[in-house]
Structures are given as C-alpha cells and as structure tokens.
Amino acid sequence: GAVVSQHPSWVICKSGTSVKIECRSLDFQATTMFWYRQFPKQSLMLMATSNEGSKATYEQGVEKDKFLINHASLTLSTLTVTSAHPEDSSFYICSADKGQVPAEAFFGQGTRLTVV
Amino acid sequence: AQSVTQPDIHITVSEGASLELRCNYSYGATPYLFWYVQSPGQGLQLLLKYFSGDTLVQGIKGFEAEFKRSQSSFNLRKPSVHWSDAAEYFCALQGNKLTFGGGTRVLVKP
C-alpha cells in the first residue's frame, strides 16, 4: 500500500499565531511531497513542492515566509502557517509519490485550518 | 502548458442511473491521467489512472474511464450510481506537475 497521513485533521488558531501541519508517508519513502490548498467548492491549487533535504519550490504567488515548508526526512514534511490570519483559513492537503515514473500521488486526508 | 477542464460543475443523477463525467486535457506530450473522488472534508481517493496501453481503464467502486487521444478526453463512467457516489470528482493530469480540473460535484437523487 501507500498511505499518507496528515495531522491534525482540523485546527483552530488565533490570528497572529503559527500552526504546523504534518504530512507523513507511513509505508514508503517520499523524496518529494506536495502541498495544496483548497478553497470551499474549488479545486486543489498547488502551493509548493517539498524535496527532502533541500528547499521547497513554491508556486507563483505563494508567500514563502508565510508558508514555511520543511522536509527533513524521507517520510515527513511539515507546513507551518506563520502569523496566521483569517484569510489563511482553508483546507490544506498534502501528497507524496514514490519517485516512480510516471508519478502517482498519494494524498493525505487534509487539514481544515480555521483562524479566528 | 498543461490544463484540465471539467465542463460540468454539478451533475444530478438518480440512484441506479448511469453517470458520465467529462474531462478534457491539454498537454503536448503523453498524458498520465487520473480520476480522484473527494468526500466532504476528506482527502482524495484514487479511482483509476491511465498511463498507457488499453484505453479503457477499470477502477474501484465500479468506475471506468476511456482515454481518447483524438478528443483529448478522459471521461469517467459508472453504469449504475449508488447514493454513496455523491461526492466531488476531480480529473488530473500528471505532466510537469499534477494539474487538476475544477471538479464536478455529483448529487444522487433517491
């Protein structure tokens, strides 16, 4: 199998605080992980590509300093939303692939972030 | 550039009726195509994928999809819909990166 676990499933935080979301590949090593943001009733928008041991690659328009990504091991990537504001409230989803070609993504269950 | 279009934002179908969800793509090379399903507040579950070979692909939950290169399409079908099929469906293309269509929300009438 290929299981990706995301934690927490939901989180509520106060404006100005930071929140960390974890994405783990449970039964495989993931050299690359991806972070998406999904607004209500919309599709997934790729935020960044996370590579183990190197800096993440951010999509155009995504603030690097706002969304900090760390991929310290082959099974864990984290997304930290810094100084969160209500407009950061969203559904965040991670995915990972096994490095095969063609790539097949395995998705976490998502994290609902609400900033109050 | 690569893109995926799902022309139907919403589809309502009666339970037991057939379902077809449309997906069109634009990509300059061999496309690797996927269909995912998402229940509210959940992540994405892979229904099926097309990499090469037989253009009619069978997936989980009784779904199938047909790749038509001449039409740049990868439509998803199910012969008989169950109430549990009500969800959001996303078509995606793996090119330089994974690109999603806008999604189609399926409502199932009893």
Side-chain angles (χ1 to χ4, degrees):
Chain A
V3 180
V4 174
S5 177
Q6 204 171 324
H7 179 81
S9 297
W10 59 271
V11 58
I12 301 173
C13 71
K14 292 184 177 180
S15 288
T17 62
S18 295
V19 172
K20 181 184 286 187
I21 302 169
E22 293 186 346
C23 180
R24 293 181 184 272
S25 56
L26 298 186
D27 52 1
F28 67 99
Q29 293 184 330
T31 54
T32 307
M33 290 185 172
F34 304 86
W35 288 95
Y36 296 85
R37 183 172 181 175
Q38 185 180 30
F39 291 103
K41 299 185 179 181
Q42 293 190 26
S43 188
L44 282 75
M45 298 299 296
L46 180 64
M47 298 174 65
T49 301
S50 168
N51 295 293
E52 187 266 336
S54 64
K55 290 184 178 180
T57 303
Y58 290 81
E59 295 298 302
Q60 192 172 10
V62 177
E63 298 177 61
K64 301 178 184 181
D65 296 332
K66 160 69 76 176
F67 300 101
L68 298 180
I69 292 172
N70 183 271
H71 194 156
S73 78
L74 287 173
T75 59
L76 174 64
S77 176
T78 60
L79 168 68
T80 301
V81 183
T82 63
S83 187
H85 288 98
E87 57 265 31
D88 299 325
S89 298
S90 193
F91 194 60
Y92 294 88
I93 304 177
C94 72
S95 75
D97 68 58
K98 296 182 177 180
Q100 297 168 333
V101 178
E104 178 181 341
F106 301 94
F107 287 85
Q109 66 268 47
T111 297
R112 169 73 59 195
L113 170 62
T114 302
V115 185
V116 297
Chain B
Q2 60 188 70
S3 66
V4 178
T5 302
Q6 293 179 246
D8 304 304
I9 297 175
H10 294 102
I11 284 183
T12 300
V13 61
S14 298
E15 191 168 13
S18 63
L19 174 68
E20 181 167 13
L21 304 182
R22 295 184 291 166
C23 173
N24 294 101
Y25 69 90
S26 175
Y27 187 56
T30 301
Y32 302 121
L33 297 160
F34 306 83
W35 274 101
Y36 292 92
V37 61
Q38 184 182 35
S39 297
Q42 300 295 315
L44 274 67
Q45 182 181 22
L46 178 67
L47 287 175
L48 47 79
K49 61 189 177 187
Y50 172 77
F51 287 169
S52 65
D54 193 347
T55 56
L56 185 61
V57 181
Q58 301 298 319
I60 63 171
K61 302 185 178 186
F63 285 93
E64 66 178 25
E66 186 170 12
F67 171 65
K68 293 185 177 180
R69 185 184 297 274
S70 62
Q71 298 179 19
S72 298
S73 69
F74 188 55
N75 294 347
L76 181 72
R77 297 191 294 256
K78 184 169 184 176
S80 178
V81 168
H82 188 262
W83 63 267
S84 60
D85 294 322
E88 186 88 21
Y89 291 80
F90 292 98
C91 181
L93 180 153
Q94 179 68 55
N96 299 325
K97 58 184 178 181
L98 189 61
T99 299
F100 289 88
T104 298
R105 182 169 297 274
V106 173
L107 304 174
V108 180
K109 293 191 301 183

Coordinates of all heavy atoms in Angstrom, one line a residue, chain B residues 13-16 83 107-110:
Chain B
V13 N -28.0 13.0 -10.6 CA -28.3 11.8 -11.3 C -29.2 10.9 -10.3 O -29.0 11.0 -9.1 CB -27.1 11.0 -11.7 CG1 -26.2 10.6 -10.5 CG2 -27.4 9.7 -12.5
S14 N -30.1 10.2 -10.8 CA -30.9 9.3 -10.0 C -30.2 8.1 -9.6 O -29.4 7.5 -10.4 CB -32.2 9.0 -10.7 OG -33.0 10.1 -10.9
E15 N -30.4 7.6 -8.4 CA -29.8 6.4 -8.0 C -30.2 5.2 -9.0 O -31.4 5.1 -9.3 CB -30.2 6.0 -6.6 CG -29.4 4.9 -6.0 CD -29.6 4.7 -4.5 OE1 -30.6 5.3 -3.9 OE2 -28.8 4.0 -3.8
G16 N -29.2 4.5 -9.4 CA -29.4 3.4 -10.3 C -29.2 3.8 -11.8 O -29.0 2.9 -12.6
W83 N -26.1 5.8 -3.9 CA -26.2 7.0 -3.2 C -24.8 7.4 -2.6 O -24.5 8.6 -2.4 CB -27.2 6.9 -2.0 CG -26.9 5.9 -1.0 CD1 -27.3 4.6 -0.9 CD2 -26.0 6.1 0.2 NE1 -26.8 4.0 0.2 CE2 -26.0 4.8 0.8 CE3 -25.3 7.2 0.7 CZ2 -25.2 4.7 2.0 CZ3 -24.6 7.0 1.8 CH2 -24.5 5.8 2.5
L107 N -24.5 14.9 -7.3 CA -25.6 14.7 -6.4 C -26.4 13.5 -6.9 O -26.7 13.4 -8.1 CB -26.5 16.0 -6.4 CG -25.7 17.3 -6.0 CD1 -26.7 18.5 -6.2 CD2 -25.2 17.2 -4.6
V108 N -26.8 12.7 -5.9 CA -27.6 11.5 -6.3 C -29.0 11.6 -5.7 O -29.1 11.7 -4.4 CB -26.9 10.2 -5.7 CG1 -27.7 9.0 -6.1 CG2 -25.5 10.1 -6.3
K109 N -30.0 11.5 -6.5 CA -31.4 11.6 -6.1 C -31.9 10.2 -5.8 O -31.5 9.2 -6.5 CB -32.3 12.2 -7.2 CG -32.0 13.6 -7.5 CD -33.1 14.2 -8.4 CE -33.2 13.4 -9.7 NZ -34.2 14.0 -10.6
P110 N -32.6 10.0 -4.7 CA -33.2 8.7 -4.4 C -34.2 8.2 -5.4 O -34.7 9.0 -6.1 CB -33.8 8.9 -3.0 CG -33.8 10.4 -2.7 CD -33.0 11.1 -3.7

